[in-house]
Amino acid sequence: MFRSIGNAVVRHPVWTIVAWLIAAVAIVATAPSLPSNSDESSFLPKSYESIKAADLQQKAFPSAFTPSAIALYQRTDGNRMTAADKQDIARITTELGKKHIDQVQKVVPGPPSKDGRYGLTLVQMDSKNAGQPKQADAAKVLRDDIKQLAKGTHLEVKLGGSAAQALDQQDSSKRGQALIGIGTFAIILVTLLIIFRAPILAVLPLILIGLVSAIANGLISYATKLFDLQANSSISSILIVVLFGVGTDYFLFLMFRYRERLRAGDEPKQAMINAVDRVGEAIASAAGAVIIAFLALVLSTLGFLKQMGPALAIAVGATLIAGLTLIPAVVSLIGPKVFWPSKSWQREPDNARFAALGRGVRRRPALTAVVSGLVLVVLSLGMLGYKATFDLASGSMPKTKESMVVQDEMQKAYSAGAAAPTDVYLSSTDGKPLDKAAFDAYQKKLAAVDGVADARMTQVAKDGTTADFTVTLKYEASTDKAIEAVGEVRDVAHSSAPEGTEALVGGMSSIYKDINAAVNHDYRTVFPVAAVLIMIILGLLLRSVVAPWYLMASVGLGFGATLGATVWIFQNGQGHSGLMFMLPVIMYLFVVAIGTDYNILMIARLREEAREGREPREAAGLALRHAGPTVAAAGFILAATFATMMLAGNSLLTEMGFAVSFGIVVAAFVMAMFFTPSLTALIGHAAWWPGHGDRAREPALGGGDTTPGSQAVPGQDRDAVASETSGHRE
């Protein structure tokens, strides 16, 4: 199949390129816009209690006041508010309400702080559009207007709340994407220049993957709209890295094999056909493992991850097709001039460093396996200290952003939970009005819960069947203590509900508690499903029942080492209260899928050497010598591109960038180079049971490729799957 694809694109390169350009124009021109949603509640399905509570609030209290934006006032000299200051706040609040800003439904004054140094204006927006870009636009207008109205007073005013957070998150995301894009381009460009010493080869993947990126983004927009998935601005930053990082990996695999076939004496076009034939199955298998891992996220209960899975799968799928069609077509048009001005592509390097490493693995496979395995186990111990944090808004932007400053100052000036109170909705189960005589006792039981600062009955629905008890926690909504406290509030609210009533607990802490439950569900579902599917791919590719087990075990150790190192650096080293809640799921998928890719490349090359009649230990040493440069180059580029996410300036992408890049380094430079080949050497022929894929076989007539234009070269009769690993550094 892959030879047929190679023949088609190399014989008709212009038509292949034209087809890609037409597809790009058509898809980009017609793709729907992809709005970002920053409302955490939209990530959860309707079955969770916090979402049921939000739906009940809409029905029972459609005009209930829930602030989407909060203006926080403080005197410029930091002293207590004077009577004149309070009059200025009242005036600003009134004038702001008269402006009739889009999305703004009500503007009211809020309570002063207990120390008299802070005042508030509370702004309610249309709840139907919570988290949507139009509310971020409204927050921008509010922020400008309120600062204008405060001019000439002794007041300093800052705008916070969910709408302002959405605005700051949007701005931070744009800046982060720009930095990530520039960093990714620079790393790929410089690294490819060092590897090939050819400017055309350094620039070419950036241009081609840029075209693929436009198509992938359009297809993702279609899929998001078609399947009504949630979108989040963080996905765009991850997509940049996935497309250019993985795309460059596939480009490297193809170009290493193309260069090898030219060195073997193939005519240029035939060299590319042979390269696609040899490398096609390897790229397809590697991409298949990544796509399956990403698609496993469809099983997630969180809308954010449910959308991320198909989006990343589409991106990798588009990159795979480009690697087998667009890149071969363009390179076949240019021919060997693509390596200009370097001449070193014409001769085979000796790979002395990797040859030395290979000799070490061959002589002492047990020691290599123990030492590399011990490194992974020690790093994995850090997992024991893992804690999750659920505040996606503050995790998606720097603490210096205005809305984050407001959140921090409100925690000090008011009760930490005042900015996001918890609501307990008590409803009649028989449709009769509630007995108000029971309210006082119910309120006292809620107030007595450990971690609750205050509880009061605030309103009753017009039909008398639902009452709203506002519970203010002592802790900020996203903290572990708040989530633990809201769990106790739920227990008391449910068990103490008067006969004939039921209680639902809503609010941000309740949402975070449900997100925690959803993530735990995903750990039990997504992880094993992705692992089983990847093992099936490994089994089919290697024709072995034994190898997939220890390959997945090694990747599992790599995941543990990555999470452990991330915990030690960010929680213990930098004092973070926890890691972003979805980080282990994302890390697992990237490290497992991409770690499996590098394992596939190394183990397949080892099998290739064994088929030449070499014993397991010798095959392992030679596999490291020949495949090492390719794995090192691909691993370095991919790890470095993911590391650019740390430039975004927010904890979510910083943690994600470090974790995934560290995981790739572990996968490429510990697992694939040492742990996997040494284990395979120790297990010996049994690793390939029942297929016996390592058994020596008679070479094809003439050796090497037997297609017209190819030249037989000793040692070049290679299995198609492993072929890409024979690329070398200049």
Side-chain angles (χ1 to χ4, degrees):
M1 181 179 78
F2 296 104
R3 174 163 292 278
S4 299
I5 293 172
N7 261 311
V9 299
V10 171
R11 303 302 180 200
H12 307 285
V14 175
W15 285 112
T16 302
I17 296 167
V18 168
W20 270 91
L21 292 174
I22 291 172
V25 171
I27 291 170
V28 172
T30 59
S33 59
L34 190 61
S36 177
N37 194 336
S38 60
D39 179 18
E40 283 94 337
S41 65
S42 67
F43 299 157
L44 289 167
K46 300 292 184 184
S47 57
Y48 283 87
E49 182 170 347
S50 58
I51 306 304
K52 290 180 179 178
D55 292 341
L56 177 60
Q57 182 209 339
Q58 290 291 319
K59 294 173 185 173
F61 308 104
S63 59
F65 189 89
T66 305
S68 298
I70 301 171
L72 180 68
Y73 303 91
Q74 182 184 18
R75 279 185 62 87
T76 52
D77 58 12
N79 293 329
R80 290 171 62 89
M81 295 276 184
T82 65
D85 295 330
K86 293 175 183 177
Q87 287 178 356
D88 283 333
I89 292 173
R91 173 186 59 80
I92 292 170
T93 302
T94 303
E95 291 186 21
L96 201 63
K98 291 178 180 178
K99 288 183 175 288
H100 302 295
I101 298 168
D102 180 46
Q103 295 297 306
V104 173
Q105 295 178 329
K106 196 182 295 184
V107 182
V108 300
S113 63
K114 291 180 180 178
D115 61 7
R117 294 174 57 233
Y118 293 90
L120 297 175
T121 292
L122 306 178
V123 181
Q124 179 178 327
M125 296 187 188
D126 187 351
S127 61
K128 294 177 183 176
N129 296 320
Q132 297 298 328
K134 58 179 68 175
Q135 293 208 346
D137 296 340
K140 188 176 188 333
V141 176
L142 277 168
R143 186 173 278 171
D144 293 341
D145 286 355
I146 207 164
K147 290 183 188 297
Q148 190 66 36
L149 290 169
K151 280 188 176 178
T153 69
H154 296 288
L155 298 172
E156 179 186 10
V157 59
K158 303 183 189 76
L159 191 74
S162 59
Q165 287 177 356
L167 172 64
D168 289 341
Q169 187 178 351
Q170 197 178 81
D171 293 341
S172 179
S173 176
K174 288 177 182 175
R175 175 182 173 276
Q177 281 183 45
L179 288 172
I180 289 169
I182 293 168
T184 299
F185 272 55
I187 286 167
I188 292 173
L189 190 66
V190 171
T191 308
L192 289 179
L193 276 172
I194 292 171
I195 292 172
F196 292 107
R197 303 190 188 107
I200 297 175
L201 267 181
V203 173
L204 193 60
L206 297 175
I207 296 171
L208 298 182
I209 299 167
L211 176 65
V212 176
S213 174
I215 293 174
N217 276 296
L219 293 174
I220 290 165
S221 297
Y222 275 119
T224 303
K225 202 86 169 178
L226 183 63
F227 298 107
D228 194 27
L229 301 170
Q230 298 295 338
N232 186 276
S233 55
S234 298
I235 291 176
S236 300
S237 301
I238 299 170
L239 271 176
I240 292 171
V241 176
V242 169
L243 280 161
F244 283 90
V246 174
T248 304
D249 264 11
Y250 298 163
F251 179 82
L252 279 173
F253 299 159
L254 184 68
M255 293 312 301
F256 278 140
R257 174 55 72 174
Y258 177 58
R259 185 176 63 181
E260 180 183 332
R261 294 314 310 161
L262 288 173
R263 285 169 175 166
D266 288 359
E267 180 271 327
K269 287 191 179 296
Q270 190 62 49
M272 180 54 74
I273 293 171
N274 290 338
V276 174
D277 180 35
R278 294 296 188 92
V279 84
E281 188 177 349
I283 292 178
S285 300
V290 178
I291 289 169
I292 280 180
F294 288 157
L295 285 179
L297 282 177
V298 172
L299 300 174
S300 171
T301 49
L302 292 171
F304 169 63
L305 294 177
K306 199 182 282 281
Q307 194 265 348
M308 179 185 284
L312 296 178
I314 289 169
V316 175
T319 308
L320 165 63
I321 296 170
L324 297 178
T325 59
L326 180 62
I327 293 173
V330 172
V331 174
S332 68
L333 272 180
I334 301 171
K337 290 179 182 177
V338 75
F339 296 105
W340 178 88
S342 174
K343 302 282 188 181
S344 59
W345 65 270
Q346 298 171 352
R347 62 181 182 274
E348 187 80 20
D350 56 11
N351 293 327
R353 291 192 207 100
F354 290 96
L357 292 174
R359 285 194 297 272
V361 170
R362 183 183 66 194
R363 290 169 184 166
R364 299 181 180 86
L367 179 63
T368 305
V370 169
V371 171
S372 55
L374 197 59
V375 169
L376 297 176
V377 170
V378 169
L379 287 174
S380 297
L381 294 176
M383 286 177 63
L384 301 175
Y386 168 73
K387 292 181 181 177
T389 184
F390 299 90
D391 189 357
L392 192 59
S394 63
S396 301
M397 65 186 113
K399 293 291 185 184
T400 52
K401 284 290 186 180
E402 187 170 325
S403 59
M404 292 294 97
V405 173
V406 170
Q407 179 174 292
D408 291 342
E409 290 185 354
M410 281 196 68
Q411 288 179 39
K412 298 170 187 173
Y414 296 81
S415 169
T422 296
D423 288 287
V424 178
Y425 299 103
L426 190 66
S427 299
S428 169
T429 55
D430 56 11
K432 295 178 182 178
L434 296 169
D435 179 11
K436 295 182 180 180
F439 287 177
D440 188 53
Y442 190 64
Q443 173 186 317
K444 287 179 180 177
K445 287 181 180 178
L446 293 174
V449 174
D450 187 32
V452 171
D454 176 63
R456 51 197 169 83
M457 202 285 292
T458 51
Q459 57 186 331
V460 179
K462 289 180 180 179
D463 61 4
T465 60
T466 304
D468 178 9
F469 293 81
T470 300
V471 177
T472 305
L473 302 177
K474 294 177 181 177
Y475 318 108
E476 195 275 319
S478 64
T479 60
D480 289 341
K481 289 184 176 180
I483 294 168
E484 185 179 338
V486 87
E488 294 184 26
V489 169
R490 280 185 178 181
D491 291 340
V492 172
H494 296 161
S495 62
S496 302
E499 189 176 347
T501 67
E502 66 175 0
L504 291 173
V505 180
M508 289 310 302
S509 293
S510 185
I511 288 171
Y512 292 139
K513 182 170 182 59
D514 285 341
I515 288 177
N516 189 28
V519 170
N520 289 334
H521 165 272
D522 291 350
Y523 291 161
R524 296 189 301 269
T525 307
V526 176
F527 281 23
V529 168
V532 168
L533 292 175
I534 291 173
M535 282 185 70
I536 290 172
I537 284 183
L538 286 171
L540 293 173
L541 177 67
L542 301 174
R543 282 81 170 174
S544 167
V545 172
V546 177
W549 286 99
Y550 69 83
L551 289 177
M552 285 305 297
S554 72
V555 172
L557 270 177
F559 166 76
T562 303
L563 182 56
T566 307
V567 168
W568 273 333
I569 287 177
F570 290 97
Q571 286 184 201
N572 301 341
Q574 297 190 9
H576 289 197
S577 59
L579 303 179
M580 196 52 61
F581 67 90
M582 82 280 281
L583 186 64
V585 177
I586 294 170
M587 188 192 308
Y588 174 84
L589 294 169
F590 277 107
V591 173
V592 168
I594 294 170
T596 301
D597 284 357
Y598 296 139
N599 269 341
I600 286 173
L601 299 177
M602 186 60 72
I603 199 81
R605 183 56 188 251
L606 192 154
R607 179 180 63 177
E608 182 180 348
E609 297 297 341
R611 283 177 170 173
E612 297 291 330
R614 299 178 177 97
E615 286 303 307
R617 292 193 179 197
E618 185 184 3
L622 287 172
L624 181 52
R625 175 187 175 183
H626 294 300
T630 309
V631 172
F636 173 79
I637 288 180
L638 196 59
T641 52
F642 272 104
T644 61
M645 294 169 70
M646 298 173 71
L647 300 172
N650 66 67
S651 59
L652 171 61
L653 291 179
T654 299
E655 290 172 3
M656 194 181 299
F658 170 81
V660 177
S661 60
F662 184 85
I664 291 167
V665 167
V666 168
F669 295 94
V670 180
M671 290 190 304
M673 286 199 186
F674 298 105
F675 193 62
T676 298
S678 59
L679 270 182
T680 307
L682 285 172
I683 296 170
H685 296 297
W688 307 99
W689 184 87
H692 304 298
D694 66 328
R695 299 300 186 190
R697 62 187 184 188
E698 291 298 320
L701 184 61
D705 286 299
T706 57
T707 50
S710 67
Q711 178 178 322
V713 175
Q716 290 296 324
D717 182 37
R718 307 301 190 191
D719 178 81
V721 178
S723 57
E724 80 286 8
T725 58
S726 58
H728 310 291
R729 285 182 188 273
E730 297 292 348

